[in-house]
Amino acid sequence: MNTLQALIFDVDGTISDTERDGHRIAFNAAFADAGMSWQWDAALYGELLAVTGGKERMRFYAERYDRDFLALPDADARIKVLHAAKTVHYVRLVESGALPLRPGVARLIDEARAAGVRLAIATTTTPENVEVLLRASVAPEASSWFEVIGAGDIVPAKKPAPDIYTWVLERLNLPAHACLALEDSANGLKSSLAAGIPTLVTESEYTQGQDFSGALAVVPDLAQTRFADLQALFKKNLSST
Ligand code: XBP
Ligand code: MG
């Protein structure tokens, strides 16, 4: 199997810059609705992105900044409720068209489909968030273009653990070396590489300058990356391994 069989896309930061003006706003709206004083500005949110997963991120924040919250007997249940409310806000935001695709993403998806390459998603975000982003920002039927969508709590260990990529590979029934992953963060890259998948990194606003050792290449965005370039990178990597 020496031709590229599948492209596996990360979502947040790779398909769209969703964090600062999407997830962050939705978290803050959920905190305000619950009458809480938590408010995450753009800089603080950058620190919190060290932890993937919204529920895990809230717990990380509380560990650092609000240990009284964590001492509540129902802290975990509260986090779950807050997260569900955050997802409602996020879905509404995406539906409003607030989160456009990053440059080159739509074209690359079209080119890959035209070439008959299989498409999949591996993300730590909640499944509803993926569905709505694909529907609102790619095309109404875009979910059906992705044969496997691995998202959220489907695996207990989120990125940088390899589990979500391994889960997707199993469902695609493909070996890691037949695929190429597209990621934007060091945590995402660690995850895809630990699963054995060659990976191209498109830096995003929060991930510029992170350690991307092991990536096939690092580009500022996908505007100049054609599908043919991905195939060439893939082949070059195969011949060097
Ligand atoms: C990014 C994440 C997610 C989102 C928030 O995932 O870490 O946690 O920030 O989404 P990726 P949830 O880059 O892997 O797409 O609140 O739904 O977890
Ligand atoms: Mg990402």
Side-chain angles (χ1 to χ4, degrees), residues 69-105:
F69 174 88
L70 279 188
L72 295 169
D74 59 348
D76 280 331
R78 285 179 190 235
I79 284 177
K80 268 196 182 161
V81 170
L82 283 168
H83 192 252
K86 176 257 168 180
T87 299
V88 172
H89 280 290
Y90 182 80
V91 165
R92 215 176 280 152
L93 253 174
V94 178
E95 274 171 346
S96 76
L99 297 170
L101 297 181
R102 292 193 65 196
V105 170

mmCIF file of all heavy atoms in Angstrom, residues 69-105:
data_model
loop_
_atom_site.group_PDB
_atom_site.id
_atom_site.type_symbol
_atom_site.label_atom_id
_atom_site.label_comp_id
_atom_site.label_asym_id
_atom_site.label_seq_id
_atom_site.Cartn_x
_atom_site.Cartn_y
_atom_site.Cartn_z
ATOM 1 N N PHE A 69 -13.912 25.750 44.197
ATOM 2 C CA PHE A 69 -14.887 25.107 43.302
ATOM 3 C C PHE A 69 -14.655 23.593 43.308
ATOM 4 O O PHE A 69 -15.589 22.807 43.415
ATOM 5 C CB PHE A 69 -14.741 25.670 41.881
ATOM 6 C CG PHE A 69 -15.609 24.970 40.870
ATOM 7 C CD1 PHE A 69 -16.919 25.387 40.647
ATOM 8 C CD2 PHE A 69 -15.133 23.877 40.153
ATOM 9 C CE1 PHE A 69 -17.728 24.719 39.727
ATOM 10 C CE2 PHE A 69 -15.941 23.211 39.233
ATOM 11 C CZ PHE A 69 -17.235 23.638 39.016
ATOM 12 N N LEU A 70 -13.392 23.211 43.222
ATOM 13 C CA LEU A 70 -13.088 21.771 43.150
ATOM 14 C C LEU A 70 -13.428 21.053 44.443
ATOM 15 O O LEU A 70 -13.662 19.843 44.449
ATOM 16 C CB LEU A 70 -11.601 21.563 42.848
ATOM 17 C CG LEU A 70 -11.183 21.699 41.397
ATOM 18 C CD1 LEU A 70 -9.730 21.259 41.246
ATOM 19 C CD2 LEU A 70 -12.078 20.884 40.473
ATOM 20 N N ALA A 71 -13.470 21.819 45.559
ATOM 21 C CA ALA A 71 -13.786 21.201 46.848
ATOM 22 C C ALA A 71 -15.286 20.906 46.974
ATOM 23 O O ALA A 71 -15.706 20.157 47.860
ATOM 24 C CB ALA A 71 -13.331 22.116 47.978
ATOM 25 N N LEU A 72 -16.093 21.466 46.089
ATOM 26 C CA LEU A 72 -17.535 21.197 46.145
ATOM 27 C C LEU A 72 -17.774 19.707 45.879
ATOM 28 O O LEU A 72 -17.129 19.127 44.997
ATOM 29 C CB LEU A 72 -18.272 22.017 45.076
ATOM 30 C CG LEU A 72 -18.244 23.546 45.243
ATOM 31 C CD1 LEU A 72 -18.773 24.231 43.983
ATOM 32 C CD2 LEU A 72 -19.052 23.955 46.470
ATOM 33 N N PRO A 73 -18.691 19.087 46.613
ATOM 34 C CA PRO A 73 -18.895 17.640 46.432
ATOM 35 C C PRO A 73 -19.385 17.287 45.024
ATOM 36 O O PRO A 73 -19.142 16.186 44.540
ATOM 37 C CB PRO A 73 -19.951 17.285 47.490
ATOM 38 C CG PRO A 73 -20.532 18.584 47.935
ATOM 39 C CD PRO A 73 -19.530 19.664 47.669
ATOM 40 N N ASP A 74 -20.057 18.257 44.387
ATOM 41 C CA ASP A 74 -20.599 17.963 43.043
ATOM 42 C C ASP A 74 -19.808 18.693 41.942
ATOM 43 O O ASP A 74 -20.348 19.006 40.879
ATOM 44 C CB ASP A 74 -22.079 18.357 42.977
ATOM 45 C CG ASP A 74 -22.294 19.835 43.287
ATOM 46 O OD1 ASP A 74 -21.340 20.501 43.781
ATOM 47 O OD2 ASP A 74 -23.394 20.334 43.019
ATOM 48 N N ALA A 75 -18.518 18.935 42.179
ATOM 49 C CA ALA A 75 -17.718 19.696 41.197
ATOM 50 C C ALA A 75 -17.745 19.037 39.814
ATOM 51 O O ALA A 75 -17.936 19.714 38.792
ATOM 52 C CB ALA A 75 -16.288 19.843 41.694
ATOM 53 N N ASP A 76 -17.585 17.716 39.773
ATOM 54 C CA ASP A 76 -17.549 17.042 38.462
ATOM 55 C C ASP A 76 -18.895 17.158 37.744
ATOM 56 O O ASP A 76 -18.942 17.381 36.531
ATOM 57 C CB ASP A 76 -17.165 15.568 38.621
ATOM 58 C CG ASP A 76 -15.661 15.411 38.775
ATOM 59 O OD1 ASP A 76 -14.919 16.266 38.241
ATOM 60 O OD2 ASP A 76 -15.232 14.455 39.443
ATOM 61 N N ALA A 77 -19.969 17.013 38.528
ATOM 62 C CA ALA A 77 -21.310 17.121 37.920
ATOM 63 C C ALA A 77 -21.524 18.543 37.398
ATOM 64 O O ALA A 77 -22.092 18.754 36.318
ATOM 65 C CB ALA A 77 -22.369 16.760 38.953
ATOM 66 N N ARG A 78 -21.047 19.521 38.157
ATOM 67 C CA ARG A 78 -21.189 20.920 37.702
ATOM 68 C C ARG A 78 -20.424 21.150 36.404
ATOM 69 O O ARG A 78 -20.878 21.875 35.520
ATOM 70 C CB ARG A 78 -20.677 21.898 38.767
ATOM 71 C CG ARG A 78 -21.617 22.046 39.934
ATOM 72 C CD ARG A 78 -21.000 23.014 40.941
ATOM 73 N NE ARG A 78 -21.756 23.002 42.163
ATOM 74 C CZ ARG A 78 -22.282 24.105 42.731
ATOM 75 N NH1 ARG A 78 -22.091 25.284 42.183
ATOM 76 N NH2 ARG A 78 -22.959 24.012 43.844
ATOM 77 N N ILE A 79 -19.242 20.576 36.338
ATOM 78 C CA ILE A 79 -18.436 20.725 35.113
ATOM 79 C C ILE A 79 -19.190 20.137 33.925
ATOM 80 O O ILE A 79 -19.238 20.728 32.844
ATOM 81 C CB ILE A 79 -17.040 20.076 35.302
ATOM 82 C CG1 ILE A 79 -16.170 20.985 36.176
ATOM 83 C CG2 ILE A 79 -16.356 19.809 33.957
ATOM 84 C CD1 ILE A 79 -14.786 20.455 36.512
ATOM 85 N N LYS A 80 -19.817 19.002 34.139
ATOM 86 C CA LYS A 80 -20.576 18.376 33.043
ATOM 87 C C LYS A 80 -21.715 19.277 32.587
ATOM 88 O O LYS A 80 -21.954 19.453 31.386
ATOM 89 C CB LYS A 80 -21.180 17.046 33.516
ATOM 90 C CG LYS A 80 -20.293 15.873 33.242
ATOM 91 C CD LYS A 80 -21.076 14.579 33.364
ATOM 92 C CE LYS A 80 -20.121 13.425 33.118
ATOM 93 N NZ LYS A 80 -20.590 12.166 33.614
ATOM 94 N N VAL A 81 -22.437 19.856 33.557
ATOM 95 C CA VAL A 81 -23.570 20.723 33.220
ATOM 96 C C VAL A 81 -23.063 21.977 32.494
ATOM 97 O O VAL A 81 -23.632 22.403 31.471
ATOM 98 C CB VAL A 81 -24.354 21.101 34.513
ATOM 99 C CG1 VAL A 81 -25.376 22.194 34.230
ATOM 100 C CG2 VAL A 81 -25.030 19.866 35.087
ATOM 101 N N LEU A 82 -21.984 22.550 33.010
ATOM 102 C CA LEU A 82 -21.403 23.734 32.361
ATOM 103 C C LEU A 82 -20.978 23.407 30.928
ATOM 104 O O LEU A 82 -21.176 24.195 30.003
ATOM 105 C CB LEU A 82 -20.166 24.225 33.133
ATOM 106 C CG LEU A 82 -20.417 25.000 34.414
ATOM 107 C CD1 LEU A 82 -19.104 25.146 35.191
ATOM 108 C CD2 LEU A 82 -21.003 26.385 34.110
ATOM 109 N N HIS A 83 -20.403 22.225 30.770
ATOM 110 C CA HIS A 83 -19.913 21.853 29.441
ATOM 111 C C HIS A 83 -21.069 21.670 28.457
ATOM 112 O O HIS A 83 -20.968 22.074 27.285
ATOM 113 C CB HIS A 83 -19.040 20.599 29.515
ATOM 114 C CG HIS A 83 -18.297 20.345 28.242
ATOM 115 N ND1 HIS A 83 -18.609 19.326 27.397
ATOM 116 C CD2 HIS A 83 -17.294 21.044 27.648
ATOM 117 C CE1 HIS A 83 -17.813 19.393 26.334
ATOM 118 N NE2 HIS A 83 -17.009 20.422 26.471
ATOM 119 N N ALA A 84 -22.161 21.084 28.940
ATOM 120 C CA ALA A 84 -23.331 20.912 28.051
ATOM 121 C C ALA A 84 -23.854 22.289 27.635
ATOM 122 O O ALA A 84 -24.206 22.517 26.461
ATOM 123 C CB ALA A 84 -24.405 20.102 28.763
ATOM 124 N N ALA A 85 -23.881 23.227 28.584
ATOM 125 C CA ALA A 85 -24.360 24.587 28.269
ATOM 126 C C ALA A 85 -23.397 25.266 27.296
ATOM 127 O O ALA A 85 -23.814 25.964 26.355
ATOM 128 C CB ALA A 85 -24.471 25.403 29.557
ATOM 129 N N LYS A 86 -22.122 25.045 27.507
ATOM 130 C CA LYS A 86 -21.108 25.613 26.598
ATOM 131 C C LYS A 86 -21.309 25.083 25.180
ATOM 132 O O LYS A 86 -21.183 25.837 24.198
ATOM 133 C CB LYS A 86 -19.711 25.272 27.139
ATOM 134 C CG LYS A 86 -18.557 25.704 26.253
ATOM 135 C CD LYS A 86 -17.972 24.547 25.488
ATOM 136 C CE LYS A 86 -17.026 24.960 24.395
ATOM 137 N NZ LYS A 86 -16.453 23.841 23.655
ATOM 138 N N THR A 87 -21.614 23.805 25.063
ATOM 139 C CA THR A 87 -21.803 23.229 23.726
ATOM 140 C C THR A 87 -22.993 23.874 23.020
ATOM 141 O O THR A 87 -22.933 24.168 21.813
ATOM 142 C CB THR A 87 -21.974 21.690 23.823
ATOM 143 O OG1 THR A 87 -20.777 21.152 24.400
ATOM 144 C CG2 THR A 87 -22.200 21.052 22.458
ATOM 145 N N VAL A 88 -24.066 24.148 23.773
ATOM 146 C CA VAL A 88 -25.247 24.809 23.171
ATOM 147 C C VAL A 88 -24.835 26.179 22.622
ATOM 148 O O VAL A 88 -25.160 26.546 21.483
ATOM 149 C CB VAL A 88 -26.388 24.949 24.209
ATOM 150 C CG1 VAL A 88 -27.523 25.809 23.659
ATOM 151 C CG2 VAL A 88 -26.901 23.568 24.618
ATOM 152 N N HIS A 89 -24.080 26.936 23.409
ATOM 153 C CA HIS A 89 -23.623 28.259 22.946
ATOM 154 C C HIS A 89 -22.719 28.122 21.716
ATOM 155 O O HIS A 89 -22.824 28.895 20.765
ATOM 156 C CB HIS A 89 -22.846 28.981 24.057
ATOM 157 C CG HIS A 89 -23.740 29.607 25.069
ATOM 158 N ND1 HIS A 89 -24.532 30.706 24.790
ATOM 159 C CD2 HIS A 89 -23.984 29.292 26.358
ATOM 160 C CE1 HIS A 89 -25.214 31.042 25.876
ATOM 161 N NE2 HIS A 89 -24.906 30.203 26.839
ATOM 162 N N TYR A 90 -21.824 27.136 21.769
ATOM 163 C CA TYR A 90 -20.874 26.970 20.664
ATOM 164 C C TYR A 90 -21.616 26.630 19.369
ATOM 165 O O TYR A 90 -21.349 27.217 18.306
ATOM 166 C CB TYR A 90 -19.845 25.876 21.013
ATOM 167 C CG TYR A 90 -18.806 25.684 19.934
ATOM 168 C CD1 TYR A 90 -17.718 26.544 19.825
ATOM 169 C CD2 TYR A 90 -18.926 24.657 18.999
ATOM 170 C CE1 TYR A 90 -16.772 26.388 18.813
ATOM 171 C CE2 TYR A 90 -17.988 24.488 17.992
ATOM 172 C CZ TYR A 90 -16.921 25.357 17.904
ATOM 173 O OH TYR A 90 -15.990 25.205 16.898
ATOM 174 N N VAL A 91 -22.561 25.716 19.468
ATOM 175 C CA VAL A 91 -23.310 25.301 18.272
ATOM 176 C C VAL A 91 -24.033 26.512 17.674
ATOM 177 O O VAL A 91 -24.019 26.733 16.455
ATOM 178 C CB VAL A 91 -24.291 24.154 18.623
ATOM 179 C CG1 VAL A 91 -25.329 23.948 17.541
ATOM 180 C CG2 VAL A 91 -23.504 22.859 18.873
ATOM 181 N N ARG A 92 -24.615 27.318 18.552
ATOM 182 C CA ARG A 92 -25.328 28.521 18.086
ATOM 183 C C ARG A 92 -24.381 29.476 17.358
ATOM 184 O O ARG A 92 -24.692 30.018 16.306
ATOM 185 C CB ARG A 92 -25.946 29.221 19.305
ATOM 186 C CG ARG A 92 -27.284 29.857 19.004
ATOM 187 C CD ARG A 92 -27.890 30.445 20.262
ATOM 188 N NE ARG A 92 -28.537 29.469 21.117
ATOM 189 C CZ ARG A 92 -28.668 29.577 22.437
ATOM 190 N NH1 ARG A 92 -28.155 30.615 23.075
ATOM 191 N NH2 ARG A 92 -29.302 28.670 23.122
ATOM 192 N N LEU A 93 -23.192 29.640 17.950
ATOM 193 C CA LEU A 93 -22.190 30.524 17.327
ATOM 194 C C LEU A 93 -21.795 30.041 15.931
ATOM 195 O O LEU A 93 -21.709 30.820 14.986
ATOM 196 C CB LEU A 93 -20.928 30.513 18.188
ATOM 197 C CG LEU A 93 -20.595 31.711 19.021
ATOM 198 C CD1 LEU A 93 -19.381 31.412 19.896
ATOM 199 C CD2 LEU A 93 -20.299 32.909 18.133
ATOM 200 N N VAL A 94 -21.537 28.742 15.852
ATOM 201 C CA VAL A 94 -21.102 28.187 14.557
ATOM 202 C C VAL A 94 -22.230 28.313 13.542
ATOM 203 O O VAL A 94 -21.998 28.668 12.378
ATOM 204 C CB VAL A 94 -20.639 26.715 14.707
ATOM 205 C CG1 VAL A 94 -20.243 26.137 13.358
ATOM 206 C CG2 VAL A 94 -19.468 26.625 15.674
ATOM 207 N N GLU A 95 -23.455 28.031 13.997
ATOM 208 C CA GLU A 95 -24.603 28.136 13.081
ATOM 209 C C GLU A 95 -24.773 29.557 12.549
ATOM 210 O O GLU A 95 -25.276 29.768 11.454
ATOM 211 C CB GLU A 95 -25.895 27.709 13.793
ATOM 212 C CG GLU A 95 -26.099 26.209 13.709
ATOM 213 C CD GLU A 95 -27.237 25.699 14.584
ATOM 214 O OE1 GLU A 95 -27.712 26.460 15.460
ATOM 215 O OE2 GLU A 95 -27.618 24.530 14.391
ATOM 216 N N SER A 96 -24.331 30.545 13.333
ATOM 217 C CA SER A 96 -24.461 31.938 12.899
ATOM 218 C C SER A 96 -23.423 32.286 11.821
ATOM 219 O O SER A 96 -23.415 33.394 11.294
ATOM 220 C CB SER A 96 -24.309 32.885 14.098
ATOM 221 O OG SER A 96 -22.932 32.966 14.459
ATOM 222 N N GLY A 97 -22.511 31.365 11.547
ATOM 223 C CA GLY A 97 -21.503 31.598 10.512
ATOM 224 C C GLY A 97 -20.285 32.335 11.034
ATOM 225 O O GLY A 97 -19.483 32.864 10.255
ATOM 226 N N ALA A 98 -20.115 32.350 12.367
ATOM 227 C CA ALA A 98 -19.024 33.131 12.968
ATOM 228 C C ALA A 98 -17.639 32.514 12.752
ATOM 229 O O ALA A 98 -16.638 33.181 12.987
ATOM 230 C CB ALA A 98 -19.274 33.295 14.470
ATOM 231 N N LEU A 99 -17.593 31.248 12.351
ATOM 232 C CA LEU A 99 -16.291 30.584 12.287
ATOM 233 C C LEU A 99 -16.006 30.054 10.875
ATOM 234 O O LEU A 99 -16.313 28.903 10.555
ATOM 235 C CB LEU A 99 -16.236 29.451 13.318
ATOM 236 C CG LEU A 99 -16.364 29.936 14.769
ATOM 237 C CD1 LEU A 99 -16.540 28.788 15.721
ATOM 238 C CD2 LEU A 99 -15.154 30.774 15.161
ATOM 239 N N PRO A 100 -15.383 30.887 10.054
ATOM 240 C CA PRO A 100 -15.088 30.446 8.678
ATOM 241 C C PRO A 100 -13.979 29.393 8.656
ATOM 242 O O PRO A 100 -13.229 29.251 9.623
ATOM 243 C CB PRO A 100 -14.609 31.737 7.995
ATOM 244 C CG PRO A 100 -14.107 32.600 9.098
ATOM 245 C CD PRO A 100 -14.902 32.251 10.337
ATOM 246 N N LEU A 101 -13.884 28.695 7.546
ATOM 247 C CA LEU A 101 -12.794 27.727 7.372
ATOM 248 C C LEU A 101 -11.480 28.469 7.227
ATOM 249 O O LEU A 101 -11.443 29.609 6.750
ATOM 250 C CB LEU A 101 -13.028 26.905 6.107
ATOM 251 C CG LEU A 101 -14.271 26.036 6.090
ATOM 252 C CD1 LEU A 101 -14.346 25.277 4.774
ATOM 253 C CD2 LEU A 101 -14.263 25.065 7.262
ATOM 254 N N ARG A 102 -10.399 27.801 7.570
ATOM 255 C CA ARG A 102 -9.077 28.385 7.323
ATOM 256 C C ARG A 102 -8.761 28.308 5.821
ATOM 257 O O ARG A 102 -9.304 27.469 5.097
ATOM 258 C CB ARG A 102 -8.008 27.642 8.141
ATOM 259 C CG ARG A 102 -8.153 27.881 9.643
ATOM 260 C CD ARG A 102 -6.926 27.418 10.387
ATOM 261 N NE ARG A 102 -5.766 28.213 10.023
ATOM 262 C CZ ARG A 102 -4.503 27.864 10.273
ATOM 263 N NH1 ARG A 102 -4.247 26.714 10.891
ATOM 264 N NH2 ARG A 102 -3.499 28.630 9.922
ATOM 265 N N PRO A 103 -7.841 29.176 5.342
ATOM 266 C CA PRO A 103 -7.528 29.202 3.911
ATOM 267 C C PRO A 103 -7.083 27.827 3.396
ATOM 268 O O PRO A 103 -6.288 27.151 4.052
ATOM 269 C CB PRO A 103 -6.365 30.200 3.814
ATOM 270 C CG PRO A 103 -6.390 30.981 5.074
ATOM 271 C CD PRO A 103 -7.068 30.149 6.119
ATOM 272 N N GLY A 104 -7.585 27.472 2.258
ATOM 273 C CA GLY A 104 -7.154 26.244 1.584
ATOM 274 C C GLY A 104 -7.895 24.986 1.989
ATOM 275 O O GLY A 104 -7.830 23.971 1.285
ATOM 276 N N VAL A 105 -8.615 25.043 3.116
ATOM 277 C CA VAL A 105 -9.238 23.809 3.633
ATOM 278 C C VAL A 105 -10.313 23.285 2.676
ATOM 279 O O VAL A 105 -10.320 22.094 2.320
ATOM 280 C CB VAL A 105 -9.824 24.045 5.053
ATOM 281 C CG1 VAL A 105 -10.690 22.875 5.502
ATOM 282 C CG2 VAL A 105 -8.702 24.291 6.048
#
